Amino acid sequence: MELTQLRYFLKVAELQHITRAAQELNIVQPALTQTIHRLENELGVPLFASKGRNIVLTEYGRYFYDKLSPLLTEILDLPEQLHSMSHLENSTIHLNVLAASSLVTQAIIEYQRIDDSLHIQLNQSEQMDLCDICVTTKLFYQEPEIKNDSVFVCTENIFLAVPDIPRFEGKTSISLEEIKNEEFISLSGAKQFRAICDKYCRNAGIKPNIIFESDSPAAVKNMIAANMGVGFWPEFSWEKVENKRVKLLPITDPLCSRDILITYKKNKTDNSKAENFYKYLKRYFEITATREMATQAVDVVHK
């Protein structure tokens, strides 16, 4: 059976008139009649019977019509459904965020004021590979697989957040050796930022005495503010320190920093929305990093 045969059958069955059906289908009547006869021969049963000048469905024809009608409607609707799916998928960005989640969230909120038709699906999975944009950290034992992807690298310093207490008064920088006996507040071991900080501690020959760890950067900040310990703090990808009971000290020995990687993959038929957001996210990181460096320079001058 061919799709054209089925379409012609449904039209004749609805009108029960060969001439009118041929006119609506924009074909000649003999061609339509031959198509119906070929379909009946293929099925081995009569689908129509003559009734005066008109035709009517046989018992076989009625059964065939009842079964075929909804199926063919779905088949004919498939191109439009696929078009709608493609449009929705092209307007959806699958974003995997493994680093700088606070900064990425802020960027998303501001970007959706520019393009509110964009749908963003957020994930946080080390195993996820099928994403349009991934924000991650370059770990010391990894090299990113660039292939044909676009990769933007943004470097940020890592500071030490300390409570504003007499022990740290007057300090403008610090070495890891100086804090080997301090109690640490830290992100949980599953976080990439934690892995980088642990690596710097090992290189400095110290083992942090971690008394509290959490998946939440906000919880880490609050514990440091409560004078429970010290902790590592990325320069600009976390929110600023608003609490006056916490101060950030540059780490001078060793110099501590990390690379944030924003990777963009062309996974869609139309990648324009994903590419536009990728460009925006790159610029957002660049502006934030530049602004933070300027702020730090002003702070140094004032001190």
Side-chain angles (χ1 to χ4, degrees):
M1 290 183 293
E2 299 175 359
L3 186 59
T4 300
Q5 290 177 309
L6 301 179
R7 286 179 53 245
Y8 287 3
F9 164 76
L10 287 180
K11 180 58 68 176
V12 175
E14 290 167 3
L15 299 177
Q16 297 195 29
H17 199 285
I18 286 287
T19 301
R20 290 204 301 271
Q23 290 172 346
E24 291 200 14
L25 291 168
N26 199 28
I27 61 173
V28 295
Q29 180 177 325
L32 178 58
T33 300
Q34 291 174 9
T35 299
I36 296 299
H37 286 332
R38 285 199 305 271
L39 180 61
E40 289 177 320
N41 291 335
E42 185 174 344
L43 294 174
V45 294
L47 299 174
F48 296 99
S50 298
K51 186 177 182 181
R53 293 184 177 182
N54 296 331
I55 58 173
V56 294
L57 288 166
T58 64
E59 181 180 356
Y60 301 113
R62 172 58 59 186
Y63 179 84
F64 190 55
Y65 176 84
D66 290 343
K67 293 294 185 180
L68 176 63
S69 183
L71 293 176
L72 193 58
T73 299
E74 288 191 15
I75 291 173
L76 295 176
D77 284 345
L78 278 176
E80 181 61 30
Q81 292 173 7
L82 290 172
H83 177 75
S84 298
M85 284 178 61
S86 175
H87 177 73
L88 178 60
E89 179 58 22
N90 291 336
S91 299
T92 301
I93 294 177
H94 299 274
L95 182 60
N96 194 21
V97 183
L98 301 174
S101 55
S102 297
L103 193 59
V104 173
T105 302
Q106 293 170 16
I108 291 172
I109 293 171
E110 296 191 22
Y111 188 78
Q112 289 193 317
R113 296 172 186 162
I114 302 172
D115 184 2
D116 59 5
S117 68
L118 184 67
H119 304 279
I120 296 181
Q121 292 191 353
L122 279 172
N123 295 280
Q124 288 185 307
S125 172
E126 296 274 2
Q127 308 304 319
M128 182 179 180
D129 187 50
L130 295 177
C131 60
D132 302 305
I133 297 174
C134 182
V135 182
T136 186
T137 293
K138 179 182 176 183
L139 299 177
F140 58 95
Y141 54 83
Q142 292 177 333
E143 285 297 330
E145 294 184 12
I146 296 179
K147 298 180 181 178
N148 295 323
D149 303 335
S150 298
V151 178
F152 167 73
V153 181
C154 183
T155 301
E156 71 172 340
N157 293 319
I158 299 174
F159 294 153
L160 188 75
V162 300
D164 192 11
I165 57 177
R167 184 159 72 255
F168 299 107
E169 187 175 355
K171 277 194 168 293
T172 57
S173 64
I174 200 164
S175 70
L176 293 186
E177 173 67 23
E178 294 177 71
I179 56 167
K180 62 182 180 181
N181 297 321
E182 296 289 336
E183 295 178 329
F184 273 75
I185 312 297
S186 176
L187 285 178
S188 65
K191 298 291 185 180
Q192 293 184 341
F193 182 67
R194 165 71 178 273
I196 291 175
C197 295
D198 285 351
K199 168 237 180 180
Y200 280 122
C201 288
R202 287 195 300 271
N203 289 350
I206 70 170
K207 183 176 182 180
N209 177 22
I210 298 174
I211 62 167
F212 176 83
E213 56 184 330
S214 170
D215 285 333
S216 167
V220 172
K221 301 171 193 175
N222 291 336
M223 291 294 285
I224 295 171
N227 193 19
M228 298 298 295
V230 301
F232 292 104
W233 196 294
E235 180 180 13
F236 61 83
S237 60
W238 282 14
E239 296 174 3
K240 289 186 177 181
V241 178
E242 303 294 345
N243 196 318
K244 294 183 179 179
R245 292 179 296 172
V246 177
K247 60 189 296 186
L248 299 182
L249 297 176
I251 302 171
T252 56
D253 186 18
L255 294 174
C256 297
S257 65
R258 69 165 175 172
D259 287 339
I260 298 174
L261 277 61
I262 304 177
T263 307
Y264 161 55
K265 301 179 181 180
K266 295 183 178 180
N267 294 326
K268 304 179 185 300
T269 304
D270 179 2
N271 292 282
S272 57
K273 284 187 176 290
E275 185 169 356
N276 287 339
F277 180 71
Y278 169 69
K279 292 177 179 177
Y280 177 86
L281 195 58
K282 282 172 51 180
R283 186 64 181 150
Y284 195 89
F285 269 72
E286 287 173 336
I287 291 173
T288 304
T290 301
R291 185 171 57 236
E292 186 61 29
M293 284 189 290
T295 300
Q296 295 295 333
V298 170
D299 289 344
V300 170
V301 170
H302 287 170
K303 290 175 183 178

